[in-house]
Amino acid sequence: MRTSIATVSLGGSLTEKLTAAARAGFDGVEIFENDLLASPLTPEEIRSRTADLGLSIDLYQPMRDIEAVPEDQFARNLRRARHKFELMRRLGADTVLVCSSVSPLAVDDDALAAGQLRRLADLAQDFGIRVAYEALAWGRHVSTYDHAWRIVEAADHPCLGTCLDSFHILARGSDPKGIEDIPGQKIFFLQLADAPLMAMDVLQWSRHYRCFPGQGGFDIAGLLGHVMRAGYEGPLSLEVFNDVFRQAEAGTTAVDARRSLLVLQEATGPLLQEPTALATPPAPVVPTGVAFAELVTPDVAPVAAVLDALGFTRTARHRSKPVDLWQQGEARVLVNTGPAARRDGTALAAIGLESPDPAAAARRAEALLAPVLPRRRALEDAPLDAVSSPDGTELFFCATDRPGLPSWTGDFGQVEHDRDPRRVTRIDHLALTQPWHQFDEAALFHRSVLGLSAQESVDVADPYGLHRSRAVTNADGSVRIALGVGPAPTDEGGRAQHIALATQDVVDAARRFREAGGRLLPIPANYYDDLAARYEFADGELETYRGLGILYDRDQDGEFRHCYTETIGRVFFELVQRDGGYRGYGAQNAPVRLAAQHAVRPGR
Ligand SMILES: O=C(O)c1ccc(O)c(O)c1
Ligand SMILES: [Mg+2]
């Protein structure tokens, strides 16, 4: 299907919005009136700029407070409409959105509304323009899509149809099934927006919290299914009023937006019997494990010291790059001292995802607009497909020593070593703080590009703000990535990242880490007093935790014990012991941990 986006969904000037929409691959735009009014470009210039970018102007909007008013007022409304139709002729836009009136002058009279909309459509016809009537969820007398349609039907004019907006329909709890009763050709336009489920005033909800399909709680695919069954053939257009997107860079938002439409089409196709024009990206290839985490560092000594104290051994070195492989059990950490490190300091730069079909995983990622990274490799290296995730972390699709597939480990030459204490068995999870405006984008990206499932988002108090976290995982938990946003508990204010390592005995692992000279994050005594109040422990157990800085959590499925290393650059490690079926991440303990991390920063 053709895809379109309302300029109100993006930040910046009209030119920036149009450029971003075109670069992300949209076919058209809805021009929001305020964006035009504020633009120094003439309507003719906007028209040619849009055409040069390969975009059509699919809608001009909104026209407000038109219908069901006293005759003298309607005469003034028609005069206003004539002006706008002239403007639309200059713009080359042939469809205008009229939203249901919120005016105190409007009366509750469907026949009057239909009659006046019919006269508006008559005028529009002279200009070759179509009028799409949309029910705002807070419209004074018309607030549901079926009511708007009844009025359009009664008006019975070829230049008058309805505009459906998923937000207004679903926010009011209307049953979208009735959409199928509207003839497809009379649905002149379809606007799509999702929103988090919240109990609040619907106008505020709409104007501030809309998000792209798949980022909120509405069943947009279900709604689109009804619209497709009705026979709609127009564009799928995103109209998202969102305070964060307004302030974010238009280019990344536009890509996030178009990815949401691809994923929505993919989800809707199977709901329909007939073949449709909906996009069908290549199927997801879900990763089956974490092959490695790659750190970059300009200063290898402290990183090597922490890895060594954690029980890792440097087992191999890349044949052509300054990259070491440190290993313990199935946990593999690459330490890269190449050029990126001088730019970024110590950071988690890349994740290797074990993939059943790395090439197919890369094709899926590319189809869903993940930036493909150039393969910078020496001749003998294994071909590794990689894409960049929204926060810049590189994701490699790889195979580790699997028959028939080139293994990334082949690029490394063994280094003499004689120990593998196996205190750490594998990487339990990776936690990546996202840029503040890319949290929803990151969740949708990991879910759609990688085929991971997103868990509920959790809010955690941080002494300097709020930390929000949402995990994306595969079915067996062998890939867990915790996406977060919040104030940075790092020295230079960089976005914190951490590697959580699974161990079967966190007390032993913590003790040995300390004996080897490692420093664990100190946890306040008050925390342990509270633990004593909440749970009963065996004799001496709590004292052991207190002495080492081990945190404890329990839920209906099992227990969780964990502790943290000091932070190097943006990165720290966590040792975690999961028992029973505990699937969380110790959110209960996160406020104490975050406060402790802030507390050890210089000057606190
Ligand atoms: O919030 C509004 O006023 C508004 C305007 C136009 C729309 O299409 C819409 O859905 C909402
Ligand atoms: Mg709308």
Side-chain angles (χ1 to χ4, degrees), residues 12-193:
S13 69
L14 181 57
T15 307
E16 288 167 327
K17 293 170 189 232
L18 295 175
T19 308
R23 289 221 177 113
F26 281 97
D27 303 299
V29 288
E30 300 177 27
I31 302 264
F32 215 76
E33 181 153 87
N34 275 342
D35 285 315
L36 176 127
L37 301 187
S39 173
L41 302 179
T42 64
E44 288 78 8
E45 285 167 338
I46 294 171
R47 177 183 197 153
S48 63
R49 177 74 57 97
T50 322
D52 288 348
L53 288 166
L55 294 168
S56 53
I57 299 180
D58 294 330
L59 190 79
Y60 182 75
Q61 75 134 324
M63 227 184 249
R64 300 184 190 271
D65 298 333
I66 292 282
E67 80 286 14
V69 288
E71 183 55 34
D72 59 335
Q73 181 59 42
F74 186 66
R76 286 193 287 277
N77 292 353
L78 274 186
R79 180 184 160 275
R80 178 158 55 93
R82 178 180 290 278
H83 265 270
K84 297 300 172 187
F85 293 160
E86 277 160 6
L87 164 73
M88 287 175 63
R89 187 147 64 185
R90 295 169 66 194
L91 267 182
D94 68 359
T95 306
V96 67
L97 182 143
V98 168
C99 40
S100 61
S101 182
V102 299
S103 166
L105 296 175
V107 292
D108 188 6
D109 182 341
D110 286 2
L112 182 63
Q116 292 182 340
L117 285 173
R118 188 182 161 82
R119 285 161 65 194
L120 179 75
D122 263 336
L123 179 63
Q125 190 162 30
D126 297 342
F127 289 82
I129 285 173
R130 309 189 312 161
V131 176
Y133 182 55
E134 173 193 37
L136 294 182
W138 55 91
R140 190 167 165 86
H141 301 294
V142 177
S143 57
T144 58
Y145 79 91
D146 44 316
H147 191 180
W149 163 239
R150 281 199 304 278
I151 292 171
V152 166
E153 193 177 27
D156 188 24
H157 192 291
C159 289
L160 181 68
T162 189
C163 168
L164 298 177
D165 180 324
S166 62
F167 178 87
H168 297 299
I169 297 171
L170 299 174
R172 288 205 49 117
S174 297
D175 183 351
K177 178 136 193 9
I179 292 170
E180 293 181 31
D181 300 333
I182 308 175
Q185 321 78 272
K186 292 304 262 182
I187 303 173
F188 280 6
F189 209 73
L190 173 64
Q191 295 177 317
L192 296 166

Side-chain angles (χ1 to χ4, degrees), residues 314-354:
R314 192 170 73 99
T315 57
R317 185 167 178 86
H318 198 279
R319 293 187 207 282
S320 57
K321 297 176 196 157
V323 181
D324 286 334
L325 168 60
W326 290 73
Q327 191 159 357
Q328 182 175 192
E330 290 298 306
R332 301 175 202 89
V333 177
L334 300 181
V335 180
N336 183 336
T337 50
R342 283 189 286 283
R343 189 186 61 219
D344 300 341
T346 301
L348 200 168
I351 301 173
L353 293 168
E354 195 68 35

